[in-house]
Amino acid sequence: MAPWKIRATMDEIDVARRYAGHPTIFSVRLHHGGQFTKFPGRKYIKGKQNYVDLLDIDTFSIHDIDEIMEELGHIDSDETLLYYHFLRPFGDLDFGLFALGSDQDVHHLGTYVANHKLIDVYIEHGKTNLHTYSMSPNPSKVKIVEIKEPPACSKQLFLEWNDSPIEHESVPDLTEVENDSHLDKEPSLVDHIEFEMNVENEDDYDGSGHNNGSGNDEFDDDSESEDSDFFIDEDNLIHDVDVDMKDFHMNIDKDVEWVGGSSESNVPEDTQQGDLEVINTEVLLSGSSSDEANDGKRRKTIRAIQRAYENDAALVSEPFYIFQTFSSSKDFKTQVKLHSIRTRREIQLEKNDKNRVRFVCKGTIPNLATNEEEKCPWVIYCSKWKRDIDWMVKTYTKEHRCLQTRKVKACDYKFLSEHIVQVIETNPKIPIRALREQLQREYQMDISHMKTFRAKQQALKHVQARNPDTTVKIDVESEANPTVETRTFRRIYVCIGALKRGFAAGRRDFLGLDGAFVKGPYPGQVLSAVALDGNNGIYPLAYAVVESETLNSWTWFLSNLGDDLGLGTNSNFTFMSDRQKGLLPAIATLFPCAEHRYCLRHIHDNMKKNWRGKVFKDLLWECATTSNVQHFHQAMEKLKKLNNDAYEWLKQIPPQSWARSHFTGRAHCDALTNNLCEAFNSKIEDGRDAPIINCIEFIREYIMKKIVKVDKEIQKVVGPLTPTATTILDKIKSKAEQYVATFCGAGKYQVAGPWQDQCIVDVGQQSCTCKRWELTGIPCKHGVAAIWDMGRNDKDVGIPESFVHPCYWLSTWKEMYSFKVSPINGRSMWEKSAIPTTLLPPKHRVPIGRPKKKRTISSVEKEDFVRGNTASRAHRSVTCTKCNNVGHNARTCKGQRPIVGGGGGQSQVKGKGKGKATT
């Protein structure tokens, strides 16, 4: 019995989770019984869809598809012709289809299986019009005939087909294979290969490489969207992981290594024996033991799953192969550098630009008889398709014919320092000579004394500084007598080095600023600067404990932050705040060119003091969320007609601080509220109860755990973008279906849709007059419609995901959380400072009454207080409906004189009671 299972439906979202940790297991979404429409805009119509589960790429072959098709009833005789194609992940049917007709094609498919667990396979019946030229190799009926001449097509089409970044790719020769004597009478099953832009009618060809034939528009879907609520900004929801801080100890001991994982076992959770029994033995061992061939396949499948949990010795020795992908050119260069050191060959970078990287071996092959030297044939070429994000190996000649050398440029002191950290940590005083001899034996190279010395010094810096490049600044109270050896603590600022590097890797110049009260025995506040990652998760960058929120404390905090980030007076940065006391003049003084946004929630709280109600709330939200200036003025006019006083009050606040229509796009974020800081303050609430040192340690440990936990979540994600960016772009795509793009030349489009919505899109500049593309860095619905139109007419244009700003890429998210916060020893092992000055704690104060655990509720929030499932009437004034006086209702009214011009407005009543009110 075959190990795979054919299913009618499948939870596609659950596939990646179930196969996490199984690099060779995948599923297939099989499209069969249909046919392809013409290029461009190719679709697969009139077909059916099934899912095939539990496939193993190590044992997978074309014959497995034959068996699946036979089980589905598509193969009734040996004369049945079937052509198999698979779709490259995130590709389209115009340019993403590849052949699936040989072992080499299966190997090509296998390069995607590790990161993409659901592969689309398309079946053609009888004949194929695609360039992939593949078909089912049915047993005893395969005959490949050599093609003497290329297929009939125009020269321009042929050149367009061969225009690709693949360097020195060769097409294998098709030679005639005779499997049996009776095959001499069989006709050839491969008569010719038709290119993808096949022109069936000369009248349909316009001479520009495109077919003018009519496309198929049967699959256009319409979708509707609902307006977002005021309190829910769906595009800027904060996505954060839960970090368990129950195990935080006030005194961190030397065994802090347990933080972030279990000390009982180093085996990952997914590799526990119980999980393996559920996945493997009950599903894959359900066949008959009498079939020796199937038993062998099942045993090989189980072995393939187990190999995922073995160490590096079980991996293949070959470091590179054709179609191998890398997330960035930096990763590719690192692997080539390691290969150069391991093989002791001098590999040199020959080509390096934003789309191509090429390495060649500079070794030579000496000829002792003629004293001539030949070049080594080893070469590797990696490039990035214009429509892709990943880098792919296109050319690789793996044979090294040159002699090994003992001098490799890649083996520098930086490389050695990273590999001797454990040696230096165990024996920091190891002599240079002994260390040099050890390195020469390990790498079999000539390593100089100076190179060893520099490597040791670099490793010592890493060992002595667990978190290198960390900034810690302490400010003390001024002392009238400078000779006094004691100083009183005033404030402390911390910015961990790993967070600096992670923030720079995130490519998002946006920070939220906020302060929260310290609830311990020492007065003060915790100031924080929190960033957003590509998945809209909070990323704490810097924090400080100060005496209070003042102009002086905020200036000191922002000055230190600017030094760590390299910000100057001309820096174009974006801050978000609640307009705290002293923060506005501090930012205006230190960073006059920065964009300073105000939290819309606090603006609404101030507005509710005079103008309450859903109408004012909705109009404020409409004014803030419109993305262009014209719509902003229209919304402001609505508010003016409703209440001129509210309009004049709101007009006093600069729209550059709270309205999206006036935001710049340099932050790649259109957030309107400071929820990221509120979320961070709630996470460290327990730490704010502790003394100052313990509060600082609580925050550091929370960040350390958070980074590790987010990194684990990242490993489960597949796709080019982060989950939040993918969700946002999918919603935009559904709206873009209703829009039509008209090309106007010079890369510009006029895009029109329902409700008289029409904008101008410049794809080259990645801009739209609606301004949403510039604000977020994600193509708007008008931009997606223009990109789709370009794809139908120009094969070089990429998918919409390739137009998203790099801050939302999955590779950027991974790099951001690749910088870990290292653990530190407990207090008993802290080194004593050599500074002679003694630091005294701030003045201790004992709070009156029971310590408060919750923040103080404002008067506006009291009016919105909810008790149970009903709105509470607490803190509200009662107005009599008979006399319009405040302080009693109609039932207890004693006939007081009514107020002239009343009606529930503000009253002059100063007292409460039965008939005792004075007017």
Side-chain angles (χ1 to χ4, degrees):
M1 183 176 179
W4 39 261
K5 302 290 184 182
I6 300 179
R7 308 179 188 275
T9 59
M10 179 185 294
D11 187 356
E12 300 178 8
I13 299 178
D14 191 53
V15 172
R17 181 187 61 82
R18 291 191 294 113
Y19 290 164
H22 306 285
T24 62
I25 303 301
F26 69 104
S27 297
V28 163
R29 181 164 48 206
L30 194 65
H31 306 265
H32 58 91
Q35 59 184 3
F36 287 104
T37 59
K38 295 180 181 179
F39 177 89
R42 179 177 291 123
K43 298 178 181 179
Y44 192 80
I45 61 174
K46 301 179 182 179
K48 299 180 180 179
Q49 181 174 292
N50 286 89
Y51 293 86
V52 184
D53 204 3
L54 300 175
L55 293 171
D56 186 355
I57 193 61
D58 286 346
T59 60
F60 179 74
S61 68
I62 304 302
H63 301 290
D64 291 329
I65 304 184
D66 289 339
E67 295 178 10
I68 295 171
M69 297 303 295
E70 185 174 2
E71 185 170 338
L72 292 174
H74 289 292
I75 298 181
D76 52 4
S77 66
D78 292 340
E79 303 297 332
T80 303
L81 297 183
L82 298 175
Y83 296 83
Y84 303 152
H85 319 272
F86 77 90
L87 182 65
R88 179 172 54 85
F90 306 110
D92 54 21
L93 294 182
D94 282 337
F95 309 105
L97 290 172
F98 287 90
L100 191 57
S102 64
D103 292 341
Q104 185 178 2
D105 298 335
V106 174
H107 178 72
H108 181 193
L109 172 65
T111 60
Y112 301 104
V113 167
N115 298 322
H116 307 280
K117 296 303 182 182
L118 186 62
I119 305 296
D120 286 278
V121 174
Y122 292 84
I123 312 297
E124 282 191 293
H125 302 259
K127 65 176 183 179
T128 178
N129 293 323
L130 302 184
H131 70 275
T132 54
Y133 65 82
S134 298
M135 67 178 187
S136 169
N138 292 327
S140 74
K141 288 297 180 182
V142 177
K143 184 175 183 181
I144 304 177
V145 181
E146 181 180 4
I147 300 176
K148 301 299 182 181
E149 297 181 0
C153 63
S154 68
K155 180 179 179 181
Q156 184 173 354
L157 288 176
F158 185 79
L159 292 177
E160 288 186 7
W161 170 248
N162 286 277
D163 184 15
S164 66
I166 300 181
E167 185 174 296
H168 302 302
E169 282 290 333
S170 58
V171 179
D173 296 333
L174 301 178
T175 57
E176 185 173 0
V177 180
E178 300 292 345
N179 295 331
D180 206 342
S181 59
H182 73 277
L183 290 179
D184 294 337
K185 301 179 181 180
E186 293 290 335
S188 171
L189 298 182
V190 181
D191 295 330
H192 62 278
I193 304 174
E194 298 190 22
F195 278 66
E196 186 169 3
M197 297 187 206
N198 183 32
V199 182
E200 297 182 357
N201 191 339
E202 295 181 358
D203 296 334
D204 293 338
Y205 184 67
D206 59 2
S208 61
H210 304 293
N211 192 346
N212 290 334
S214 60
N216 194 322
D217 299 329
E218 297 178 1
F219 297 87
D220 294 336
D221 296 329
D222 295 334
S223 61
E224 298 180 356
S225 61
E226 298 180 356
D227 295 334
S228 57
D229 188 74
F230 171 74
F231 296 107
I232 302 177
D233 190 357
E234 296 182 356
D235 293 340
N236 292 285
L237 296 178
I238 302 300
H239 297 270
D240 197 25
V241 296
D242 293 330
V243 179
D244 185 8
M245 296 297 293
K246 295 180 180 178
D247 297 329
F248 173 75
H249 298 282
M250 296 305 178
N251 296 314
I252 306 297
D253 57 21
K254 61 182 179 180
D255 295 327
V256 75
E257 299 289 345
W258 62 267
V259 176
S262 174
S263 59
E264 299 179 358
S265 175
N266 293 327
V267 181
E269 182 180 356
D270 293 340
T271 63
Q272 298 298 323
Q273 185 64 29
D275 294 339
L276 289 178
E277 291 178 356
V278 173
I279 295 176
N280 298 342
T281 58
E282 297 184 6
V283 176
L284 299 180
L285 295 180
S286 59
S288 173
S289 59
S290 61
D291 192 342
E292 296 180 358
N294 289 334
D295 285 343
K297 181 181 290 187
R298 286 193 295 272
R299 287 193 296 270
K300 191 171 183 180
T301 301
I302 297 174
R303 176 57 181 165
I305 298 177
Q306 293 174 344
R307 280 202 302 269
Y309 305 109
E310 295 178 356
N311 55 20
D312 294 340
L315 300 177
V316 294
S317 58
E318 187 60 43
F320 306 105
Y321 52 87
I322 299 294
F323 297 119
Q324 183 180 7
T325 58
F326 296 90
S327 60
S328 63
S329 61
K330 182 180 178 180
D331 294 343
F332 171 67
K333 295 175 184 177
T334 302
Q335 292 299 321
V336 175
K337 181 179 179 179
L338 293 176
H339 174 74
S340 175
I341 296 173
R342 291 170 182 170
T343 59
R344 289 188 291 137
R345 258 84 176 194
E346 186 60 40
I347 298 176
Q348 183 175 343
L349 182 63
E350 188 176 73
K351 182 180 296 183
N352 182 24
D353 56 37
K354 62 180 182 180
N355 291 323
R356 298 172 297 176
V357 176
R358 177 186 175 92
F359 284 93
V360 295
C361 181
K362 302 302 291 184
T364 57
I365 309 168
N367 190 328
L368 301 179
T370 61
N371 292 330
E372 296 180 355
E373 295 181 346
E374 298 180 8
K375 294 183 178 180
C376 180
W378 190 94
V379 64
I380 188 169
Y381 173 80
C382 186
S383 65
K384 179 172 69 71
W385 294 89
K386 293 182 179 179
R387 58 181 180 269
D388 284 347
I389 297 175
D390 293 338
W391 291 68
M392 181 181 294
V393 176
K394 308 293 179 54
T395 301
Y396 178 48
T397 303
K398 64 181 179 180
E399 181 183 5
H400 273 291
R401 298 178 59 187
C402 60
L403 300 179
Q404 292 181 328
T405 179
R406 293 183 62 84
K407 293 182 179 180
V408 177
K409 187 177 180 180
C411 187
D412 53 10
Y413 81 94
K414 294 181 180 179
F415 170 80
L416 295 175
S417 65
E418 296 175 357
H419 291 75
I420 64 174
V421 171
Q422 294 183 353
V423 177
I424 300 301
E425 188 175 10
T426 305
N427 184 12
K429 297 183 179 181
I430 183 174
I432 301 297
R433 181 178 179 181
L435 181 61
R436 178 188 177 189
E437 293 177 354
Q438 179 179 343
L439 292 175
Q440 289 186 147
R441 286 194 303 268
E442 180 178 355
Y443 294 102
Q444 300 181 12
M445 294 183 189
D446 293 333
I447 300 176
S448 65
H449 182 87
M450 180 56 65
K451 184 183 291 187
T452 308
F453 172 78
R454 295 177 68 184
K456 180 182 177 182
Q457 294 300 316
Q458 187 74 9
L460 281 172
K461 292 181 180 179
H462 181 78
V463 171
Q464 294 172 357
R466 284 293 185 177
N467 291 291
D469 197 27
T470 296
T471 302
V472 178
K473 293 186 179 181
I474 298 178
D475 188 27
V476 296
E477 298 286 353
S478 59
E479 180 63 42
N481 185 6
T483 61
V484 177
E485 297 183 355
T486 59
R487 293 290 187 275
T488 302
F489 173 86
R490 187 181 184 185
R491 51 178 78 129
I492 182 173
Y493 166 87
V494 179
C495 184
I496 301 175
L499 301 181
K500 297 180 192 178
R501 296 188 292 272
F503 175 74
R507 305 185 183 185
R508 214 173 189 181
D509 295 340
F510 179 81
L511 282 177
L513 304 174
D514 197 11
F517 284 100
V518 176
K519 303 178 181 179
Y522 299 98
Q525 288 206 347
V526 176
L527 306 183
S528 59
V530 185
L532 277 178
D533 59 25
N535 196 47
N536 277 2
I538 63 173
Y539 191 84
L541 176 60
Y543 48 94
V545 177
V546 300
E547 69 282 5
S548 61
E549 275 192 285
T550 61
L551 174 61
N552 185 275
S553 62
W554 272 116
T555 302
W556 180 78
F557 177 79
L558 292 176
S559 177
N560 294 328
L561 181 65
D563 293 340
D564 286 331
L565 300 183
L567 302 180
T569 55
N570 296 328
S571 298
N572 295 325
F573 211 80
T574 303
F575 296 100
M576 168 75 77
S577 73
D578 301 339
R579 297 193 291 178
Q580 292 93 333
K581 183 179 180 180
L583 181 57
L584 296 180
I587 293 180
T589 302
L590 296 175
F591 314 111
C593 296
E595 180 182 2
H596 189 185
R597 302 181 186 177
Y598 304 156
C599 179
L600 189 65
R601 174 179 171 271
H602 289 77
I603 294 178
H604 180 243
D605 287 344
N606 293 331
M607 186 180 188
K608 284 169 33 176
K609 296 178 180 178
N610 297 314
W611 303 281
R612 300 179 56 84
K614 188 175 184 300
V615 177
F616 289 101
K617 176 188 70 174
D618 293 342
L619 282 177
L620 176 63
W621 181 249
E622 183 180 352
C623 294
T625 56
T626 53
S627 58
N628 59 75
V629 178
Q630 293 79 6
H631 292 168
F632 169 78
H633 290 309
Q634 294 173 9
M636 290 291 289
E637 287 297 323
K638 293 181 183 179
L639 179 62
K640 185 177 181 180
K641 293 179 180 179
L642 178 65
N643 190 299
N644 188 70
D645 293 339
Y647 167 80
E648 293 295 336
W649 176 85
L650 186 60
K651 190 178 177 180
Q652 299 302 316
I653 306 175
Q656 293 82 359
S657 303
W658 60 276
R660 286 176 179 169
S661 57
H662 291 72
F663 288 170
T664 63
R666 55 198 181 208
H668 309 297
C669 176
D670 61 349
L672 296 172
T673 60
N674 200 19
N675 290 339
L676 65 165
C677 289
E678 300 291 346
F680 175 70
N681 291 336
S682 65
K683 299 295 183 181
I684 64 173
E685 183 176 0
D686 294 336
R688 289 188 280 133
D689 287 340
I692 295 176
I693 295 180
N694 292 333
C695 177
I696 294 295
E697 273 301 287
F698 184 94
I699 298 174
R700 183 197 62 82
E701 187 169 318
Y702 162 75
I703 297 174
M704 178 179 65
K705 287 184 175 182
K706 171 184 169 57
I707 291 178
V708 173
K709 192 163 185 178
V710 174
D711 187 54
K712 291 181 179 179
E713 296 295 326
I714 293 176
Q715 303 305 321
K716 304 176 184 178
V717 180
V718 295
L721 305 178
T722 63
T724 299
T726 302
T727 302
I728 294 174
L729 187 58
D730 289 342
K731 294 180 180 179
I732 294 175
K733 288 180 180 179
S734 64
K735 298 178 182 178
E737 293 285 354
Q738 307 177 41
Y739 287 77
V740 178
T742 304
F743 182 61
C744 305
K748 294 185 178 180
Y749 286 81
Q750 176 180 290
V751 183
W755 307 291
Q756 297 181 352
D757 184 8
Q758 181 171 303
C759 294
I760 301 174
V761 176
D762 191 335
V763 179
Q765 298 296 326
Q766 296 190 1
S767 63
C768 177
T769 53
C770 76
K771 203 181 176 181
R772 292 187 182 275
W773 196 343
E774 298 96 311
L775 285 176
T776 62
I778 300 176
C780 60
K781 54 190 176 183
H782 312 98
V784 171
I787 294 171
W788 284 344
D789 186 79
M790 290 184 66
R792 287 190 289 266
N793 296 279
D794 185 358
K795 71 175 185 178
D796 291 333
V797 70
I799 56 178
E801 283 78 1
S802 63
F803 288 86
V804 176
H805 191 270
C807 69
Y808 297 102
W809 292 357
L810 180 60
S811 58
T812 303
W813 196 27
K814 288 181 180 180
E815 185 180 3
M816 190 174 187
Y817 283 90
S818 64
F819 303 99
K820 304 297 190 296
V821 177
S822 301
I824 64 174
N825 293 319
R827 292 190 187 184
S828 61
M829 300 183 65
W830 289 359
E831 295 183 4
K832 187 176 181 179
S833 175
I835 300 176
T837 304
T838 302
L839 192 64
L840 301 178
K843 185 177 180 180
H844 183 277
R845 74 175 168 88
V846 179
I848 299 176
R850 186 175 181 178
K852 296 181 179 180
K853 297 296 182 181
K854 298 182 179 180
R855 69 180 182 89
T856 304
I857 301 177
S858 64
S859 59
V860 176
E861 291 177 301
K862 289 180 180 179
E863 297 179 3
D864 296 334
F865 181 70
V866 177
R867 177 175 295 165
N869 295 325
T870 60
S872 174
R873 300 182 66 180
H875 311 290
R876 291 180 181 269
S877 298
V878 180
T879 303
C880 179
T881 58
K882 292 182 178 180
C883 64
N884 293 327
N885 288 324
V886 180
H888 64 277
N889 54 24
R891 185 178 58 183
T892 59
C893 181
K894 300 299 183 180
Q896 293 92 333
R897 185 175 54 146
I899 298 177
V900 179
Q906 294 182 350
S907 174
Q908 300 176 4
V909 175
K910 299 181 180 179
K912 293 183 180 180
K914 298 181 179 180
K916 297 181 181 180
T918 59
T919 61

